Amino acid sequence: MGDMNVPQQFFVDKLEQAKIHFERALDCKHTEFDDLYPYMIEHPQFFWYKRYVAWSELLTIVKLCDELEISWTEQFTERQAEYVRGRVMSSKVLDYWYETNESREHVG
């Protein structure tokens, strides 16, 4: 295929797009995934799948950045970068991605 030099900025831009896609999925906002599978909106499991797809996309771009030795952590808070390094989309990631839930009072 030959030696192809892709600018570092290309990956930084793709990383930012993947982060926005994940955050929109996290917030249950419209994403390009909704356009691809409009019938899934009717199914409750759709939002979990949509988040999983966006998370996978984000992890893929981060993996490529790591392999190409392109720094990616500046795009995230320290905690978000820790979640991404952990690679598992847990309830902790879903609950604390924006780091605002810890300050909320919880009704018991």
Side-chain angles (χ1 to χ4, degrees):
M1 183 152 122
D3 188 15
M4 185 187 243
N5 291 325
V6 179
Q8 181 174 335
Q9 190 60 45
F10 172 82
F11 288 96
V12 172
D13 292 345
K14 292 297 179 187
L15 179 64
E16 180 63 24
Q17 291 169 8
K19 181 181 180 203
I20 290 168
H21 183 211
F22 174 68
E23 290 176 346
R24 289 188 64 79
L26 192 62
D27 295 339
C28 297
K29 292 182 178 176
H30 186 272
T31 68
E32 135 183 330
F33 189 79
D34 298 294
D35 297 333
L36 294 171
Y37 302 101
Y39 60 89
M40 288 187 69
I41 293 173
E42 301 167 11
H43 302 284
Q45 70 273 21
F46 168 74
F47 292 107
W48 288 103
Y49 187 68
K50 180 176 168 176
R51 290 173 181 163
Y52 171 77
V53 168
W55 182 247
S56 296
E57 176 187 14
L58 181 61
L59 293 181
T60 299
I61 300 295
V62 165
K63 183 178 179 181
L64 288 171
C65 287
D66 280 341
E67 289 176 7
L68 295 169
E69 298 179 358
I70 297 171
S71 182
W72 57 270
T73 56
E74 303 79 36
Q75 305 290 328
F76 301 89
T77 66
E78 188 174 318
R79 182 176 285 166
Q80 289 172 342
E82 181 182 314
Y83 295 150
V84 172
R85 280 189 207 99
R87 302 188 56 81
V88 175
M89 187 180 63
S90 65
S91 61
K92 190 175 183 181
V93 172
L94 298 175
D95 290 342
Y96 298 112
W97 181 259
Y98 295 112
E99 301 187 22
T100 57
N101 291 5
E102 292 177 326
S103 61
R104 292 184 186 162
E105 291 184 26
H106 296 283
V107 178

